[in-house]
Amino acid sequence: MRRPALPRVVTLVAAATAMLTALATPAWAAPGVNPATVDRDADPGTSIPISKLVSTPAIPPKPDVVLLVDTTGSMGGAIADVRTNLQTIITNVRAAQPGAEFAVASYRDTGDGAELFRVRQDLTGDATALQNAVNGLAAGGGGDFPEAWINALFQVSSGAVSYRPDSSRIVVLVGDAPSHDPSAGHTLADATAALQADAARVLAVNVGPAGGGLNDDGQAATVAAATGGQLVDSSPDTVTAAILDGLRDLDVTVTPTVVSCDPGLSVSFDAPSRTQQSGTDVPFAETIAVAADAAQGATLHCTVDFLLNGVSGGDAFRQQISVTVNDVTPPVVVVDDQTVEATGPAGAVINYPATATDNVDGPLTPTCVPPPGSTFPLGATLVTCTATDAAGNTGSDTATMTVRDTTPPTTGCVPTNNPSGGNVPGSYNPDGFYQLTATDIVDPAVKVYIGDAADPSVKFGPFPAGTKIKLVQAPGAQSRVKDGTGDIDYKVTLRGDALITAVDFSGNVSSTAVCLVAPPPK
C-alpha cells in the first residue's frame, strides 16, 4: 500500500529563504597549499622547518556526484525541488570544481518492477542532459513504508555508474523512508562494502521527519559514517539547499605525499594525514632535511602532493621545494716541504709547487707567504699557503723550506813571489813562498788551517784566505808559526810538507791542498 505524503516541515517563506541563501552562497576561498614553493639555502646536515597550511576546497576535487533519488509516491515535492533547482546544484559545485560531473539515478521498492533501480543519466558534464534526466523523474509506486535504497546503493557501486579514474565519488541519497534489509537480495553490509571498494561517500538527505524518515532504522547514519559521508535533514522544498550544504560539510582527508626528492634531500610531516571539514585550513608542520653528505653547491628539489581524500587536487596542491646546499667545505691546499742546496750567501731560490682544489669551485690558485720563487735563507723557513673559495671558505697548508750548505770550500796553496828577489817563482818554488787560497759559494770568510804532513797532531790556524807564508822545513825542529815580514804574513816551520784545509761556517771541510817544502839551497 502506498504511504501518504509526509507533511511539510517548513513554510513557503522559510523554503524561499533557504533557497535564496543557497543561491547567495559567497565564493569559497581559493584552495591550495601555502607556501606552494620553498626556496632556501641550507648547510649539509641541517633541517628547515616549514609551517604548512592546506586550504581545502569546499567541494572535493574532481567530483563525480550521483543523485540517487527516491521516486515513490510521497516524494513529489522533493522531486519538484530538485527539478527546479538542479542547475543551482550544478552551478555551485562547478564554481568550486569546474570539472565536476553528475549522474542521475532513481529507486523505488521491490514490487515496482523496472523502477526498482534505474540509471537515468550516467556521469556527464552536460547540464542539459542532466536536466532532462531529472525532468523525467516522477513520483509513483511504492508499497510498504521501507523502500529498496540499499539495493540501489549496491548497484551504483557495482558498475551501474561509470566513475572516472581518481575522482571524488559522492552518492547523494535523497529519500524519506528506510530501506528493506536485505533489499533485492543485498544487505546493508553488502552495499557498504561496495561503496567502500569504490571509495564512494554517501550524503544521505532525509526528506522525512528529523530523526526518522530515511534514517528511521539508523541505516542512513550507519552507511554515511562508514563511507565518510554524512546525514542531513531537509524538507521536500529545501532539498537543493540541503544537498549543497551537505556537499560543503563533507570531511576531507589531506595526505601529504612525497612524489620525488633528489638524493640528499628528504621531507617529512608531523602527521601522515589530517581529516577536517571541507573548506577549512588544515595545518601541517613540515620538515625539510638536508643530508650530511648532500652535494655542496648543488640545488636539490622535492615535489610534494597534498592529496584530498586520496585524489590529486591539481597544481594548487602541489608543492615545489628547492634547496641550495651551502658550500661549507674549505679548499684543500697542498704544499710540501722542500730541501735545497744553498747557491750563495743569501741562500737559494725555491720555486716550490702549491695547489688548491675546492669541492665546488675546482682548482684554485693559492696565495703563499713567502711566495714561490723567493730567495730563502740558510736554515728552515715556514711557508703558509691559503686559498678562499667563492663561498668564503678558506683552506690552508704549511710547509718548511730548508736551505742547507753541504758543499765544501775549495782551497789551494799557490806559489807566490819572493819579497826580497821580486821574482814570481814557478811550480818548483825554490824559495818556499806561498799564498793560501780558499773559496766557498756561501761563506765569504772561510777559515784556513795548516797541518804538518810529518806530524798529524799539528794544526795551525785559522787563517783568512789570501794569507801569505814562508814555508821552511826543519825535520828535527818543533813545528811553529811566527809573524812574517813585509807582505809575508807568517813564517811557518814544519817537519814535512804543509797540508792546507779550509772549513766554512757550516762545518764543511775542503779537500787537502799540499804546499811542498822548498828544497834545501845548493
Side-chain angles (χ1 to χ4, degrees), residues 325-347:
V325 184
N326 292 331
D327 178 8
V328 299
T329 301
V332 176
V333 180
V334 177
V335 57
D336 294 327
D337 296 344
Q338 299 282 325
T339 299
V340 301
E341 188 70 15
T343 59

Side-chain angles (χ1 to χ4, degrees), residues 329-393:
T329 301
V332 176
V333 180
V334 177
V335 57
D336 294 327
D337 296 344
Q338 299 282 325
T339 299
V340 301
E341 188 70 15
T343 59
V349 173
I350 304 179
N351 276 303
Y352 59 87
T355 61
T357 304
D358 187 65
N359 62 322
V360 174
D361 299 339
L364 300 173
T365 300
T367 299
C368 300
V369 178
S374 298
T375 298
F376 288 81
L378 283 171
T381 300
L382 185 67
V383 166
T384 300
C385 295
T386 60
T388 302
D389 62 19
N393 303 302

Side-chain angles (χ1 to χ4, degrees), residues 344-345 405 407-410 438-446 503-506 508:
D405 177 16
T407 303
T410 300
T439 58
D440 188 75
I441 59 175
V442 175
D443 187 356
V446 179
V503 180
D504 63 19
F505 55 47
S506 298
N508 301 304

Side-chain angles (χ1 to χ4, degrees), residues 125-445:
D126 186 340
T128 300
L130 292 166
Q131 187 67 57
N132 291 336
V134 170
N135 290 346
L137 298 177
D144 53 2
F145 182 47
E147 311 298 359
W149 55 257
I150 286 177
N151 170 68
L153 289 177
F154 179 85
Q155 298 298 336
V156 166
S157 286
S158 297
V161 173
S162 305
Y163 289 120
R164 292 174 294 172
D166 298 325
S167 61
S168 296
R169 298 158 185 183
I170 304 169
V171 179
V172 180
L173 173 64
V174 182
D176 61 0
S179 175
H180 291 286
D181 186 7
S183 65
H186 304 295
T187 66
L188 182 63
D190 295 336
T192 301
L195 289 160
Q196 291 172 336
D198 255 353
R201 291 185 288 174
V202 173
L203 171 57
V205 180
N206 173 35
V207 186
L214 190 70
N215 196 44
D216 193 64
D217 294 334
Q219 299 164 323
T222 298
V223 73
T227 60
Q230 66 170 336
L231 170 66
V232 297
D233 289 321
S234 172
S235 64
D237 55 358
T238 60
V239 172
T240 301
I243 291 172
L244 288 173
D245 287 343
L247 288 173
R248 296 189 189 108
D249 288 341
L250 289 174
D251 284 343
V252 60
T253 298
V254 181
T255 305
T257 304
V258 178
V259 177
S260 63
C261 261
D262 290 338
L265 200 61
S266 61
V267 182
S268 61
F269 295 86
D270 61 330
S273 65
R274 285 197 168 94
T275 300
Q276 291 183 193
Q277 181 181 342
S278 293
T280 61
D281 293 336
V282 183
F284 287 94
E286 180 181 51
T287 300
I288 303 168
V290 183
D293 60 352
Q296 296 177 31
T299 299
L300 307 179
H301 302 89
C302 279
T303 299
V304 181
D305 267 354
F306 291 83
L307 302 181
L308 308 176
N309 295 328
V311 177
S312 172
D315 290 342
F317 292 87
R318 174 163 290 195
Q319 177 196 29
Q320 300 293 344
I321 298 171
S322 178
V323 176
T324 299
V325 184
N326 292 331
D327 178 8
V328 299
T329 301
V332 176
V333 180
V334 177
V335 57
D336 294 327
D337 296 344
Q338 299 282 325
T339 299
V340 301
E341 188 70 15
T343 59
V349 173
I350 304 179
N351 276 303
Y352 59 87
T355 61
T357 304
D358 187 65
N359 62 322
V360 174
D361 299 339
L364 300 173
T365 300
T367 299
C368 300
V369 178
S374 298
T375 298
F376 288 81
L378 283 171
T381 300
L382 185 67
V383 166
T384 300
C385 295
T386 60
T388 302
D389 62 19
N393 303 302
T394 298
S396 65
D397 191 21
T398 59
T400 299
M401 301 298 149
T402 302
V403 178
R404 64 183 182 180
D405 177 16
T406 62
T407 303
T410 300
T411 190
C413 186
V414 180
T416 189
N417 64 298
N418 183 339
S420 61
N423 64 304
V424 179
S427 61
Y428 183 64
N429 195 18
D431 297 325
F433 292 98
Y434 293 93
Q435 184 175 37
L436 307 181
T437 62
T439 58
D440 188 75
I441 59 175
V442 175
D443 187 356

